[in-house]
Amino acid sequence: MSALAADAGTVVLPATRLQQEWVAAVGGRESNHNIPHAIEITGPVDLGDLSGVLAALVERHETMRAAFVRTEAGIAQRVVAPFRPEPVLEDLSHLPPTARREALEELAVRRCEQPVDLFTPPLWSAVVVRLAPEHHVLLTVWHHAVFDGWSNAVLFRDFHQLFRARLDPGRPPPPAAPVQAGDYAAYERALGLGADAEFWGEQFPADPPRLPVRRTGPDDPLWLQAHPLPLVAADAAGSLFRLGAQHGAKPASALRALVLASLVSRLGDDVMVGCVTANRDVPGLTHTIGLVSDHVPVRVDLRGNPTFGELAGRVHEATRQAHAHRVPVGVLRQELPGAVQGNGSLFDLSINYMPHAPDRTATIATADGRSIGLRLRPLPTDALRPRMASAFSGAVRLGFQLRHSHEGHVFGDLWAHRPAFSTRTLGELTGNLGRAAREVLTAPGRGIRDLALPGRDAD
């Protein structure tokens, strides 16, 4: 990447409350909480064109020019003037074809593991990986505090349209997003509980999960680690969804109910669950790159030993009500300080449901009649080990990431704090998801507390 001129065209903009919480949780200047993004490119490619497209992206998105800065009012964003990135070239074409994919994934992990200075822009980097003479991958690595899951599709869309416009000036890209990440942060900073104060005041406190957390000292290392969840086959997932639908629940609520059923031996009369929201329903944010996503705390009533279907219905209704009163988690932390737990979070458990998204591909015609193919290439993230000093809303003790595939099966990972949980406990927590699915489908009328699952006796 090119060097940036200090203070040239720099502006200071607000940071979101989640970004402020994130920087505080890092406990220093550097952080390796990075995520990869890969665009596979087939066909004739000029590295100068790729650099030019990246420069156009930098000018289009403030996030790509931003870092954090400490001000009298707290953490803010410092946005510098546009610059031209010069991505390095990593040549893997000498490797056997079967080894190139593994080498690409290892390269992505190595680059993600490299800490970035949160106070020096930009908080992303780029490398062009050559797999063959006309087969490349543009690999960018982003700090998660400036890049959320929704941003993946936005980056691919804008890269495609700007690349096409560079090769064919007669097809200019659409205008940039009218609302940038800094604009959203300013909007969010002005929000309060307002008319939603009564609703949220009644939601806290909820019973915290009874998690077998190891005691650690304030100076002990803390990191997140992914643990694969058992696959729920398509026919089983469909049956679970139908059970939930009988009580008005959508697939997301059914899967959250499945997670809660798998943890039921560690839950009390209710539980607060953090549910991820993309937040892109705010007008103008659909095509914005940045950390705009947040969590919606959802309090789920577990009293009366409900069946799985009844629980799914409860999750659905609680989620509907929470979204109807949605405010940023940072507002809740500020205006309801009594809701914050001892570890600094509003909840110990988050469940993120990601429905199937179609493959993102595009084709660009070149001036000589050839074509360039683009594909958003998924990269595994389960080998990443983000480190931090403390928990925060974006990285609670247990985070379930559930994905619904095109084929209908459900898979994902449990992201857990280490070394807070033993290997034995994590084996139980992950394995119980599959066991709960089997138990529910064997006896759908059975209460969730009557499911035959290993629990606290196994600690």
Side-chain angles (χ1 to χ4, degrees):
M1 304 288 288
S2 62
L4 302 179
D7 298 322
T10 298
V11 296
V12 175
L13 300 172
T16 66
R17 288 178 167 89
L18 180 56
Q19 287 177 319
Q20 291 184 321
E21 192 184 348
W22 205 313
V23 173
V26 166
R29 291 188 64 93
E30 293 190 333
S31 169
N32 74 330
H33 206 148
N34 301 314
I35 53 177
H37 183 279
I39 299 177
E40 191 171 6
I41 308 170
T42 54
V45 170
D46 180 82
L47 295 183
D49 284 335
L50 295 184
S51 179
V53 174
L54 287 173
L57 283 165
V58 166
E59 185 171 6
R60 192 178 185 91
H61 293 282
E62 285 179 351
T63 292
M64 299 184 71
R65 298 179 266 126
F68 298 106
V69 62
R70 300 187 190 278
T71 70
E72 292 183 0
I75 294 296
Q77 296 185 80
R78 179 167 68 96
V79 180
V80 300
F83 60 93
R84 183 183 180 93
E86 298 293 344
V88 299
L89 176 66
E90 185 84 21
D91 194 344
L92 302 180
S93 61
H94 62 284
L95 297 175
T98 54
R100 293 172 193 165
R101 174 175 178 172
E102 181 177 352
L104 172 64
E105 293 177 356
E106 290 175 351
L107 174 65
V109 170
R110 289 199 307 273
R111 293 185 69 88
C112 285
E113 281 294 307
Q114 295 174 3
V116 299
D117 185 341
L118 294 177
F119 297 87
T120 301
L123 300 185
W124 63 281
S125 62
V127 58
V128 177
V129 183
R130 177 177 291 151
L131 302 178
E134 292 195 354
H135 188 188
H136 296 78
V137 172
L138 175 64
L139 172 64
T140 51
V141 170
W142 302 75
H143 195 275
H144 207 348
V146 295
F147 195 86
D148 58 17
W150 186 280
S151 298
N152 281 289
V154 178
L155 179 58
F156 179 83
R157 166 192 176 269
D158 281 7
F159 179 85
H160 163 229
Q161 294 176 341
L162 292 168
F163 198 0
R164 183 183 63 191
R166 184 175 180 86
L167 298 180
D168 183 1
R171 300 189 66 184
V179 179
Q180 295 288 316
D183 299 321
Y184 172 74
Y187 160 80
E188 186 212 67
R189 301 295 297 177
L191 295 177
L193 284 180
D196 299 309
E198 182 178 358
F199 173 82
W200 287 112
E202 294 173 349
Q203 300 304 301
F204 296 96
D207 289 343
R210 300 171 179 85
L211 301 174
V213 179
R214 291 172 169 176
R215 294 185 179 275
T216 56
D219 298 325
D220 290 342
L222 175 65
W223 69 93
L224 283 176
Q225 186 171 341
H227 304 270
L229 293 168
L231 182 142
V232 179
D235 56 349
S239 297
L240 292 169
F241 295 158
R242 287 189 289 274
L243 285 174
Q246 292 173 11
H247 296 267
K250 296 180 179 180
S253 293
L255 288 178
R256 290 181 178 124
L258 180 64
V259 171
L260 295 180
S262 75
L263 297 171
V264 69
S265 66
R266 303 184 182 280
L267 304 178
D269 287 339
D270 53 26
V271 64
M272 189 68 74
V273 178
C275 298
V276 176
T277 174
N279 253 351
R280 278 353 193 256
D281 51 352
V282 176
L285 278 177
T286 303
H287 300 305
T288 300
I289 289 177
L291 180 68
V292 179
S293 63
D294 202 353
H295 286 77
V296 178
V298 176
R299 181 174 179 166
V300 181
D301 181 3
L302 301 173
R303 291 173 296 179
N305 195 18
T307 66
F308 169 80
E310 292 168 343
L311 177 59
R314 292 184 186 184
V315 172
H316 174 79
E317 178 58 21
T319 303
R320 186 193 66 78
Q321 292 190 26
H323 274 268
H325 297 274
R326 194 177 85 201
V327 294
V329 163
V331 172
L332 296 173
R333 289 172 54 85
Q334 177 178 318
E335 299 202 20
L336 297 174
V340 179
Q341 301 179 35
N343 63 2
S345 182
L346 295 176
F347 40 83
D348 282 322
L349 174 65
S350 69
I351 307 174
N352 186 15
Y353 166 68
M354 289 166 281
H356 166 69
D359 291 339
R360 299 192 180 275
T361 61
T363 302
I364 301 173
T366 63
D368 59 1
R370 303 181 67 187
S371 63
I372 296 175
L374 305 178
R375 181 174 76 96
L376 183 58
R377 179 168 180 160
L379 289 175
T381 58
D382 55 352
L384 304 182
R385 302 288 185 271
R387 296 180 290 277
M388 65 200 75
S390 61
F392 68 105
S393 299
V396 295
R397 284 175 171 165
L398 291 178
F400 287 81
Q401 300 271 0
L402 300 173
R403 297 173 176 85
H404 194 184
S405 75
H406 176 70
E407 295 79 14
H409 60 261
V410 174
F411 65 105
D413 298 293
L414 168 59
W415 286 85
H417 285 192
R418 298 300 305 271
F421 296 97
S422 69
T423 300
R424 181 181 181 184
T425 295
L426 290 168
E428 173 216 311
L429 295 176
T430 55
N432 270 3
L433 190 77
R435 297 184 190 103
R438 292 191 295 271
E439 285 285 308
V440 166
L441 295 178
T442 299
R446 185 186 303 166
I448 59 170
R449 295 193 185 277
D450 299 325
L451 301 178
L453 301 174
R456 294 159 65 187
D457 294 340
D459 296 341

